[in-house]
């Protein structure tokens, strides 16, 4: 069954604690934290301080998605703040293999994120070193965007590539996921869905999570 990790980017930050508690009540598997620096992506979000504050109020895995340049400079800070998974962008790393090692040395699981235009084949030489691949299904920087349909084909390509390795490599889909597309995303082979605005919109968060969970299990 595909895991659901809500992205807090589209939360109402004035009541972040209650929104996260509501999502947990709905039944989520991790919390996806979108860190943006205004350079790698045209938006600025939050840093280790917010991660540390959230760490204090939940036992769930904190899945930190670094949409920043030079991510190697901040790995220890996010690990100290309580990140359990750190994902960096392939497009932001000059020395990707080294940065992967540094995340592991910091005691975190490691993911590598690919922008929509980046082919899965670029990860061929590091797949055996990582725990997860993040396929961006929107152009990174904002919540509430439309899912890029090309991603379904990319999931299948990545699944075939990962199949060559004995270890389990999670395939996380990030952006534009909702109740209408999560079944085809799961069916294609994704193991984790990041969901932001489809959970944290103005309606009932608990019900939103349950609706998406039920939709994910629909047989196509
Ligand atoms: C976009 C972020 C996504 C986004 C998901 O750069 O990486 O995690 O916040 O939000 P929705 O589900 O609204 O696209
Ligand atoms: Zn994200």
């Amino acid at each position: 069954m595909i895991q659901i990790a809500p992205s807090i980017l589209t939360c109402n930050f004035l009541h972040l604690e209650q929104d996260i508690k509501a999502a947990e009540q709905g039944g989520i598997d991790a919390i996806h934290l979108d860190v943006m620096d205004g350079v790698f992506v045209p938006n600025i979000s939050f840093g280790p301080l917010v991660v540390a504050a959230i760490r204090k109020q939940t036992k769930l895995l904190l899945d930190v998605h670094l949409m920043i340049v030079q991510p190697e400079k901040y790995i220890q800070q996010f690990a100290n703040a309580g990140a359990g998974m750190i994902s960096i962008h392939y497009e932001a790393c000059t020395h990707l293999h080294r940065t992967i090692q540094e995340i592991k040395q910091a005691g975190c699981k490691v993911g590598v994120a690919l922008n929509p235009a980046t082919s899965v084949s670029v990860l061929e030489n590091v797949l055996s070193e990582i725990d997860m691949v993040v396929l961006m299904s929107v152009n990174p920087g904002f919540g509430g965007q439309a899912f890029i349909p090309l991603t379904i084909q990319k999931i299948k390509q990545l699944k075939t590539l990962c199949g060559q390795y004995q270890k389990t490599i999670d395939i996380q889909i990030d952006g534009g996921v909702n109740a209408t597309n999560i079944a085809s995303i799961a069916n294609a082979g994704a193991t984790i869905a990041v969901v932001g605005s489809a959970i944290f919109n103005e309606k009932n968060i608990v019900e939103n999570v349950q609706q998406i969970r039920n939709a994910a299990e629909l047989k196509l």
Side-chain angles (χ1 to χ4, degrees):
M1 185 169 67
I2 195 166
Q3 293 183 34
I4 295 174
S7 156
I8 65 162
L9 192 66
T10 45
C11 254
N12 178 338
F13 273 74
L14 293 181
H15 41 79
L16 191 53
E17 181 175 357
Q18 65 194 68
D19 281 12
I20 290 175
K21 280 204 175 5
E24 282 195 83
Q25 205 186 320
I28 54 175
D29 301 288
I31 299 173
H32 184 84
L33 304 174
D34 286 310
V35 177
M36 300 178 181
D37 63 1
V39 179
F40 182 71
V41 289
N43 196 0
I44 297 174
S45 59
F46 49 79
L49 287 178
V50 172
V51 175
I54 294 171
R55 178 71 288 160
K56 291 197 189 93
Q57 72 150 46
T58 177
K59 293 197 176 9
L60 284 176
L61 172 77
L62 299 187
D63 163 29
V64 175
H65 177 192
L66 295 181
M67 285 166 275
I68 65 175
V69 296
Q70 297 181 305
E72 65 279 3
K73 289 168 60 178
Y74 299 94
I75 291 162
Q76 199 55 55
Q77 288 185 51
F78 282 102
N80 295 345
M85 162 73 78
I86 294 178
S87 293
I88 51 181
H89 267 261
Y90 162 81
E91 302 87 353
C93 292
T94 309
H95 299 287
L96 180 61
H97 185 277
R98 179 192 294 153
T99 306
I100 289 169
Q101 303 313 317
E102 288 169 351
I103 293 172
K104 291 159 94 166
Q105 279 149 22
C108 296
K109 292 174 79 174
V110 57
V112 178
L114 300 180
N115 284 336
T118 306
S119 162
V120 297
S121 60
V122 303
L123 295 179
E124 217 150 9
N125 297 318
V126 293
L127 273 181
S128 59
E129 302 286 327
I130 63 178
D131 302 293
M132 180 170 80
V133 176
V134 184
L135 295 183
M136 293 307 300
S137 35
V138 295
N139 287 297
F142 300 93
Q145 300 179 83
F147 179 81
I148 296 172
L150 165 97
T151 313
I152 298 293
Q153 190 51 31
K154 218 167 156 180
I155 296 170
K156 291 175 184 168
Q157 288 165 358
L158 179 59
K159 191 166 181 327
T160 306
L161 198 57
C162 291
Q164 296 164 30
Y165 299 90
Q166 299 319 314
K167 62 179 283 194
T168 311
I169 300 169
D170 274 314
I171 298 177
Q172 182 181 81
I173 306 307
D174 189 6
V177 178
N178 56 43
T180 63
N181 58 29
I182 192 165
S184 48
I185 289 166
N187 215 38
T191 58
I192 304 171
V194 173
V195 185
S197 46
I199 286 179
F200 294 117
N201 57 33
E202 61 291 340
K203 289 200 293 295
N204 182 309
I205 292 172
V206 177
E207 284 170 12
N208 289 344
V209 174
Q210 289 163 346
Q211 187 203 13
I212 287 165
R213 172 82 65 199
N214 296 338
E217 277 139 41
L218 280 179
K219 285 289 159 257
L220 290 181

